[in-house]
C-alpha cells in the first residue's frame, strides 16, 4: 500500500530534529501562510497562536513552538522544537534540541 505524503523514522532525537526541519521546508513550499511572520522569526518557523514571544528574540531557522509556550526576552532558538506549556527563560540559547511538555529552561523570571 502506498501512502500519500512522506514518512521518516523519527525514533532518535537527532532524527526528530531533522524531520521537523524537513516538515517545515515542506510547509514553506505547500502552505507558507502557516509559518510565522513575526519580526523575531528567521527562516522556517512554526509558532502556535497561543505562544508568547518576548522582545529581542531570534527564533529560527527550523523551530517549532507549541501551544501555551512562553519565550522570554532575548532568547535564541535554532533547529529546536518546544512543546506545549514550556517556558524558556530570558537570554537562553537553545540549538538542535527537543524541549518537552511543561518544562522550564534557563533562568525563568
Amino acid at each position: 500500500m502506498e501512502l500519500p505524503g512522506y514518512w521518516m523514522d523519527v525514533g532518535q532525537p537527532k532524527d526528530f530534529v531533522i524531520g521537523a526541519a524537513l516538515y517545515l521546508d515542506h510547509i514553506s513550499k505547500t502552505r507558507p501562510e502557516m509559518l510565522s511572520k513575526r519580526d523575531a522569526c528567521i527562516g522556517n518557523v512554526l509558532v502556535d497562536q497561543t505562544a508568547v514571544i518576548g522582545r529581542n528574540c531570534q527564533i529560527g531557522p527550523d523551530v517549532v513552538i507549541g501551544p501555551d509556550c512562553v519565550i522570554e526576552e532575548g532568547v535564541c532558538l535554532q533547529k529546536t522544537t518546544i512543546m506545549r506549556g514550556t517556558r524558556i527563560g530570558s537570554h537562553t540559547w537553545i540549538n538542535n534540541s527537543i524541549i518537552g511538555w511543561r518544562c522550564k529552561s534557563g533562568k525563568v523570571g
Side-chain angles (χ1 to χ4, degrees), residues 8-54:
M8 179 179 176
D9 180 0
V10 293
Q12 298 290 321
K14 67 181 177 74
D15 295 329
F16 183 93
V17 171
I18 292 168
L22 290 171
Y23 178 67
L24 289 169
D25 183 61
H26 173 74
I27 288 176
S28 75
K29 294 172 183 165
T30 60
R31 302 208 37 217
E33 69 279 2
M34 290 180 62
L35 297 176
S36 181
K37 306 285 188 277
R38 299 180 194 207
D39 288 340
C41 296
I42 300 164
N44 295 333
V45 177
L46 183 61
V47 179
D48 187 85
Q49 63 184 359
T50 62
V52 176
I53 298 177

Side-chain angles (χ1 to χ4, degrees), residues 56-102:
N56 301 318
C57 291
Q58 182 177 330
I59 311 296
D62 301 330
V63 172
V64 178
I65 300 175
D68 305 319
C69 291
V70 176
I71 311 300
E72 294 184 3
E73 178 180 359
V75 169
C76 180
L77 302 173
Q78 298 175 340
K79 299 179 184 174
T80 294
T81 296
I82 309 290
M83 295 187 185
R84 177 186 295 273
T86 289
R87 186 175 199 103
I88 307 297
S90 62
H91 304 287
T92 300
W93 187 83
I94 300 173
N95 185 34
N96 278 332
S97 298
I98 306 163
I99 308 298
W101 300 273
R102 296 175 298 284

